[in-house]
C-alpha cells in the first residue's frame, strides 16, 4: 500500500482573535492591517477585523464599529450589513470587502474577481477604496453566489455523515483526539466532495479524515500515533478559513467494499489556550458521494518538511526549502499526473510560500539531480506572497501536468524579527513547518505519496525577503552550498546500497520504534535524541561508526525505496524527515565510514 504522509497531522495553532468569525464575511482572511496599529505591521493581514486592534480580542476586547454591526446582525453577512458604511469612510462594507453587489453568503465559492478585489478594512476610516463609478452597472444583473456544486449532471447524489462522539476536552493548550469509524458493509462509494459539520468551531484548530485498511470492533477514540500505518491516505482536511472541498469533475476517491479502504479515522486537533474547563466537541464531516466511479482516482502528494526547516535565528529573515521528485508510472500517465489543488502550511513566522516546478537541465544525462545547479525552472505551481496562518485553505488551481522526473521545490520565507529565541521545526505553535499537500490524479500513477528531498537554508537580505521568486536565484547568494548532502549523493550514485537485512526486526514506522531498535548500536540516550528528539541532550555520547552505519543505512533505504513495502519490511519516510538530526550527530562518523568504504572499493 502506498505510504501517504499526512502533512497536516501535527498542525498546531493559536489565534488571538476569534478566527472563525472571519469566515463569516467575504474575504475576511485577507483584510490588510491599516497603518498605525501597533499590533499589526502595515502590509500584513488583520486577524481581529471586528476589534479596535488587529491583534484581536486578547489584545483589545473592544469592538470597532464594524464589529458592533456584525454582532448586531447575528455574526452573519446580511444584505443590510453589506450595504452599511460602518466606518463612515464613504464606502459600503461590501465595497471594502469585495462584495459590492451584496451577493456573497457564507459557504459560497467566491469568483476570481472577488478574490482579486483590493480589500480595505471596513472598521477603519483611513483604510478605504478608490472610487469605482462602474459598480452600480456591474451589479445590475449580478446573481447571488451559490454554494459548492459537488455533482456532475446525472450523477446519483448521496451523503455520508461522520461525527465523533461528544468529547470533553482537557484544560490544556493542545489536545489531539483520534477517532476510528467503520464504513457501511457491502457498499462502495466514490467521494466527490466534503464539507465540515462543526460543533465547537472556536475550540477546533483543524481536523483531518483519512481512510483505513481495517475495521475496528467498536468505533471510538483510539491511541494517538503520529503515523498510523492502517490509516494513511487523506480524504479531507479542514481548518479555519477552509470551506467545502470539491473534486474535479473527472475525479473521485473510492471508499468501501472492494477498495481496500473499509474504515476512517478523524484526527481532531483542539486549541484551548485559556485552559477552560468543561469544553466539549462532537464535530465531523459530510462526504458527498456517488455510486459510480469517475474517470480518475484522486489522491494527495505531500511535499516539504516539519522538523527539518533548519535552525532559524532570532531577529532575521530566513529561507527554508526542500525538493520532492515525482516518480510517475508513464504506462499509466504518459504525459504526467494532473495537479488540481493544494493546501499550504507554515506557522506564525511564515510570510511567503511558493512551490516551483523544476526539471533537469537539458544538457545533463541524469535521472537524479546532485546539485541545485543541475535544475532549471519550468513554472510556478503555487504562490502565496501574503501568507496568513489562519488562511490554510484547500485551493483549486488550473490543472497542470507534472511529468515523470520533474521536481517540486517548496520554499518558505520566515520573519523572526520579533523573536528573541531560536526557532526550530516541529509541531508546536512557536515552532515552524514548511509543508504542502498536492491534489492530483490518476492516483495509481504515483507509487510514492511523499518524499522529502534535501533542504536548503539561509538568511535573506531585505530585497530577497520581499522579491525573491525562485529557489534557483537564492543559490546565487554567496556562501550558499547548492550541492546535495554527501550521504544522498553516495546512495543516489550507487556508492552505497540499502542493506535491508540490517532493518529486520525493527519497527521502522516511528521514532520510538527506531530508537528502541537502534539502542544497541547507538546507545539508548543517543538513539532517543536522534530519532525522537527526547533523551538527555546535555549528556549525549559520541556517534560511533556502528551507529552512523545503522542510521544512514536506514535513511538510504528510505531514500531509495521511497516509503514502499517489500513483504513485511517497511521503508518509511520518517527517517528522511529527521535527516537534520542524524546529520547533526553522526555526519563526522558517516564521512569516516564512507571514506573507508570508498578506499576499499578502489583497492579492489
Amino acid at each position: 500500500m502506498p505510504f501517504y504522509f499526512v502533512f497536516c497531522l501535527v498542525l498546531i495553532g493559536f489565534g488571538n482573535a476569534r478566527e472563525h468569525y472571519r469566515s463569516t464575511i467575504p474575504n475576511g482572511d485577507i483584510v490588510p492591517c491599516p497603518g498605525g496599529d501597533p499590533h499589526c505591521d502595515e502590509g500584513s493581514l488583520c486577524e481581529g477585523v471586528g476589534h479596535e486592534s488587529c491583534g484581536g480580542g486578547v489584545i483589545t476586547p473592544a469592538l470597532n464599529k464594524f464589529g458592533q454591526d456584525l454582532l448586531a446582525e447575528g455574526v452573519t453577512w446580511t444584505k443590510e450589513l453589506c450595504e452599511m458604511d460602518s466606518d463612515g469612510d464613504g464606502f459600503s462594507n461590501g465595497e471594502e470587502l469585495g462584495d459590492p453587489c451584496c451577493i456573497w453568503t457564507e459557504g459560497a465559492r467566491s469568483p476570481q474577481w472577488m478574490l482579486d478585489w483590493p480589500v480595505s478594512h471596513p472598521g477603519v476610516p483611513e483604510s478605504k477604496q478608490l472610487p469605482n463609478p462602474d459598480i452600480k452597472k456591474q451589479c445590475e444583473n449580478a446573481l447571488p453566489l451559490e454554494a459548492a456544486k459537488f455533482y456532475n449532471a446525472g450523477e446519483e447524489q448521496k451523503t455520508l455523515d461522520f461525527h465523533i462522539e461528544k468529547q470533553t476536552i482537557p484544560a490544556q493548550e493542545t489536545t489531539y483526539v483520534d477517532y476510528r469509524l467503520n464504513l457501511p458493509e457491502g457498499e462502495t462509494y466514490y467521494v466527490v466532495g466534503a464539507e465540515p459539520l462543526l460543533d465547537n468551531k472556536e475550540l477546533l484548530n483543524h481536523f483531518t479524515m483519512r481512510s483505513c485498511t481495517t475495521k475496528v470492533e467498536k468505533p471510538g477514540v483510539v491511541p494517538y500515533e503520529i503515523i498510523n500505518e492502517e490509516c494513511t491516505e487523506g480524504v479531507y482536511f479542514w481548518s479555519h478559513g477552509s470551506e467545502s472541498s470539491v473534486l474535479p469533475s473527472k475525479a473521485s476517491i473510492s471508499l468501501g467494499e472492494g477498495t481496500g479502504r473499509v474504515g476512517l479515522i478523524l484526527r481532531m486537533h483542539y486549541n484551548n489556550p485559556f485552559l477552560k474547563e468543561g469544553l466539549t466537541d462532537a464535530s465531523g464531516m459530510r462526504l458527498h458521494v456517488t455510486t459510480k466511479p469517475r474517470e480518475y482516482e484522486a489522491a494527495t502528494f505531500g511535499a516539504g518538511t516539519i522538523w527539518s526547516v533548519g535552525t532559524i535565528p532570532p531577529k532575521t529573515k530566513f529561507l527554508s526549502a526542500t525538493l520532492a521528485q515525482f516518480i510517475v508510472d508513464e504506462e499509466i500517465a504518459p504525459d504526467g499526473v494532473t495537479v488540481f489543488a493544494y493546501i499550504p502550511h507554515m506557522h506564525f513566522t511564515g510570510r511567503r510560500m511558493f512551490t516551483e516546478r523544476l526539471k533537469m537541465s537539458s544538457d545533463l544525462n541524469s535521472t537524479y539531480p546532485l546539485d541545485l545547479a543541475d535544475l532549471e525552472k519550468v513554472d510556478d505551481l503555487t504562490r502565496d506572497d501574503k501568507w496568513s496562518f489562519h488562511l490554510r485553505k484547500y485551493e483549486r488551481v488550473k490543472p497542470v501536468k507534472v511529468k515523470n522526473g520533474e521536481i517540486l521545490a517548496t520554499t518558505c520565507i520566515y520573519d523572526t524579527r520579533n523573536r528573541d529565541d531560536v526557532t526550530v521545526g516541529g509541531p508546536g505553535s512557536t515552532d515552524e513547518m514548511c509543508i504542502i499537500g498536492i491534489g492530483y490524479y490518476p492516483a495509481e500513477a504515483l507509487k510514492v505519496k511523499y518524499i522529502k528531498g534535501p533542504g536548503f537554508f539561509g538568511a535573506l537580505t531585505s530585497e530577497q525577503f520581499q522579491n525573491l521568486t525562485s529557489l534557483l536565484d537564492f543559490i546565487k547568494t554567496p556562501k550558499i552550498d547548492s550541492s546535495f548532502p554527501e550521504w544522498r549523493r553516495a546512495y543516489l550514485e550507487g556508492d552505497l546500497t540499502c542493506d535491508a537485512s540490517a532493518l529486520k526486526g525493527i519497527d521502522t514506522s516511528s521514532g520510538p520504534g527506531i530508537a528502541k531498535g537502534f539502542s544497541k548500536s547507538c546507545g539508548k540516550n543517543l538513539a532517543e535524541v536522534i530519532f525522537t528528539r527526547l533523551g538527555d541532550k546535555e549528556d549525549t555520547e559520541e556517534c560511533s561508526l556502528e551507529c552512523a552505519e545503522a542510521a544512514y543505512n536506514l535513511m538510504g533505504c528510505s531514500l531509495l525505496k521511497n516509503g514502499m513495502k517489500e513483504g513485511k519490511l517497511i521503508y518509511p519516510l520518517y527517517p528522511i524527515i529527521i535527516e537534520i538530526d542524524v546529520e547533526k550527530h553522526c555526519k563526522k562518523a558517516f564521512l569516516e565510514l564512507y571514506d573507508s568504504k570508498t578506499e576499499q572499493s578502489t583497492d579492489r
Side-chain angles (χ1 to χ4, degrees):
M1 169 143 185
F3 190 103
Y4 172 77
F5 181 80
V6 184
F7 71 95
C8 46
L9 300 190
V10 286
L11 303 181
I12 295 182
F14 168 74
N16 290 330
R18 292 177 182 263
E19 49 198 63
H20 64 274
Y21 281 7
R22 297 198 299 280
S23 67
T24 66
I25 60 176
N27 286 324
D29 290 296
I30 57 173
V31 176
C33 292
D37 188 331
H39 304 291
C40 188
D41 296 332
E42 190 168 3
S44 298
L45 299 177
C46 183
E47 295 181 14
V49 178
H51 289 271
E52 291 288 352
S53 167
C54 282
V58 173
I59 304 296
T60 314
L63 299 177
N64 59 32
K65 188 59 171 63
F66 174 74
Q68 296 171 28
D69 290 340
L70 177 63
L71 190 62
E73 292 294 317
V75 196
T76 303
W77 185 251
T78 62
K79 190 171 188 295
E80 290 73 21
L81 178 62
C82 177
E83 292 176 343
M84 289 181 193
D85 177 10
S86 294
D87 58 9
D89 62 1
F91 297 92
S92 71
N93 296 331
E95 288 177 280
E96 299 220 52
L97 291 171
D99 183 21
C101 308
C102 299
I103 58 175
W104 185 89
T105 57
E106 186 174 4
R109 299 191 71 83
S110 301
Q112 192 60 46
W113 65 264
M114 186 177 287
L115 298 175
D116 293 338
W117 192 267
V119 174
S120 54
H121 197 303
V124 178
E126 291 76 19
S127 173
K128 62 178 69 177
Q129 296 282 304
L130 294 174
N132 184 351
D134 297 324
I135 283 181
K136 287 187 177 180
K137 185 176 181 181
Q138 291 172 351
C139 294
E140 283 178 0
N141 299 311
L143 298 175
L145 298 177
E146 296 181 347
K149 290 186 177 179
F150 298 100
Y151 298 95
N152 296 332
E155 286 185 326
E156 186 173 353
Q157 301 181 17
K158 292 185 176 182
T159 58
L160 299 174
D161 288 0
F162 298 95
H163 290 267
I164 66 171
E165 188 176 355
K166 182 172 284 189
Q167 302 292 309
T168 299
I169 309 306
Q172 60 191 34
E173 182 171 337
T174 297
T175 299
Y176 282 98
V177 174
D178 277 359
Y179 198 94
R180 286 286 301 269
L181 296 153
N182 295 325
L183 286 162
E185 295 277 359
E187 298 286 343
T188 305
Y189 304 99
Y190 300 93
V191 179
V192 296
E195 59 182 306
L197 301 172
L198 303 175
D199 176 42
N200 193 335
K201 190 174 183 180
E202 185 176 352
L203 185 60
L204 277 164
N205 175 277
H206 79 277
F207 64 90
T208 65
M209 174 183 276
R210 291 171 284 145
S211 63
C212 303
T213 58
T214 61
K215 289 180 176 286
V216 288
E217 185 174 333
K218 182 181 179 181
V221 176
V222 296
Y224 172 83
E225 299 176 81
I226 291 180
I227 298 174
N228 185 317
E229 288 294 325
E230 295 180 348
C231 307
T232 58
E233 298 192 14
V235 178
Y236 179 68
F237 164 78
W238 177 88
S239 179
H240 293 280
S242 295
E243 300 169 353
S244 303
S245 68
V246 181
L247 269 65
S249 60
K250 294 182 178 181
S252 57
I253 298 173
S254 57
L255 297 175
E257 189 77 18
T259 68
R261 305 176 186 118
V262 295
L264 298 167
I265 188 168
L266 282 167
R267 170 159 291 179
M268 322 298 288
H269 171 197
Y270 297 103
N271 193 36
N272 185 8
F274 302 113
L275 312 183
K276 294 180 180 179
E277 300 276 358
L279 297 179
T280 63
D281 181 58
S283 293
M285 64 179 65
R286 172 171 294 150
L287 297 182
H288 291 263
V289 302
T290 187
T291 54
K292 292 184 179 179
R294 290 179 175 177
E295 184 177 356
Y296 298 110
E297 179 80 11
T300 304
F301 178 93
T305 183
I306 297 174
W307 284 273
S308 300
V309 298
T311 301
I312 308 175
K315 311 297 182 185
T316 191
K317 311 176 193 76
F318 196 83
L319 174 146
S320 177
T322 55
L323 307 185
Q325 188 168 30
F326 269 45
I327 309 300
V328 179
D329 186 332
E330 295 183 300
E331 290 188 5
I332 297 174
D335 297 327
V337 296
T338 299
V339 169
F340 62 85
Y342 73 100
I343 306 172
H345 183 71
M346 297 185 289
H347 281 181
F348 289 113
T349 69
R351 294 296 180 268
R352 298 173 57 214
M353 183 176 185
F354 51 87
T355 297
E356 306 169 77
R357 190 160 54 123
L358 309 176
K359 66 178 182 179
M360 295 292 295
S361 296
S362 54
D363 57 345
L364 292 176
N365 184 23
S366 176
T367 305
Y368 301 102
L370 297 175
D371 193 292
L372 281 177
D374 295 342
L375 302 172
E376 56 188 37
K377 184 168 180 173
V378 178
D379 55 22
D380 285 333
L381 192 66
T382 72
R383 180 168 292 277
D384 290 282
D385 285 324
K386 289 187 177 180
W387 170 260
S388 168
F389 178 79
H390 305 295
L391 187 60
R392 293 171 281 164
K393 287 186 176 182
Y394 165 94
E395 295 281 2
R396 287 284 296 271
V397 296
K398 183 178 179 180
V400 61
K401 296 279 189 180
V402 178
K403 300 177 181 178
N404 183 38
E406 289 187 333
I407 293 165
L408 300 187
T410 298
T411 298
C412 292
I413 294 176
Y414 308 100
D415 184 355
T416 61
R417 284 177 291 177
N418 292 327
R419 291 199 171 182
D420 297 320
D421 299 316
V422 165
T423 301
V424 296
S429 299
T430 57
D431 298 332
E432 267 305 339
M433 296 183 181
C434 181
I435 40 183
I436 188 168
I438 305 291
Y440 75 94
Y441 62 80
E444 60 273 20
L446 279 189
K447 303 304 181 186
V448 183
K449 302 298 184 186
Y450 176 91
I451 180 168
K452 177 197 170 292
F456 298 90
F457 323 102
L460 296 171
T461 65
S462 295
E463 195 279 331
Q464 288 175 320
F465 178 74
Q466 295 291 340
N467 301 315
L468 185 75
T469 59
S470 175
L471 176 62
L472 301 185
D473 292 334
F474 175 67
I475 64 172
K476 299 172 185 176
T477 304
K479 299 182 180 180
I480 296 296
D481 183 5
S482 63
S483 62
F484 283 21
E486 288 89 342
W487 77 269
R488 287 177 176 270
R489 297 172 68 100
Y491 281 97
L492 291 175
E493 292 184 324
D495 293 340
L496 296 176
T497 58
C498 167
D499 179 8
S501 63
L503 303 178
K504 288 184 178 178
I506 297 176
D507 175 12
T508 56
S509 64
S510 68
I514 297 170
K516 182 178 179 181
F518 282 25
S519 60
K520 183 177 180 180
S521 56
C522 294
K524 184 175 183 295
N525 184 60
L526 180 60
E528 288 184 349
V529 169
I530 294 176
F531 296 111
T532 69
R533 288 194 169 178
L534 300 175
D536 186 355
K537 295 180 176 60
E538 300 299 324
D539 188 29
T540 302
E541 57 267 41
E542 186 175 346
C543 182
S544 65
L545 295 180
E546 182 184 9
C547 179
E549 183 170 27
Y552 281 92
N553 177 63
L554 178 61
M555 291 205 300
C557 289
S558 180
L559 175 66
L560 297 177
K561 300 297 183 178
N562 294 328
M564 301 299 290
K565 288 185 180 180
E566 289 184 358
K568 293 184 179 180
L569 182 63
I570 303 170
Y571 296 98
L573 298 165
Y574 184 86
I576 298 294
I577 296 168
I578 51 138
E579 172 185 12
I580 196 169
D581 294 292
V582 175
E583 287 272 86
K584 176 181 178 181
H585 293 280
C586 293
K587 182 176 181 179
K588 180 180 177 181
F590 168 76
L591 292 177
E592 182 180 342
L593 185 70
Y594 180 41
D595 289 343
S596 174
K597 290 193 174 186
T598 303
E599 289 175 6
Q600 292 175 13
S601 177
T602 303
D603 291 342
R604 294 195 192 99

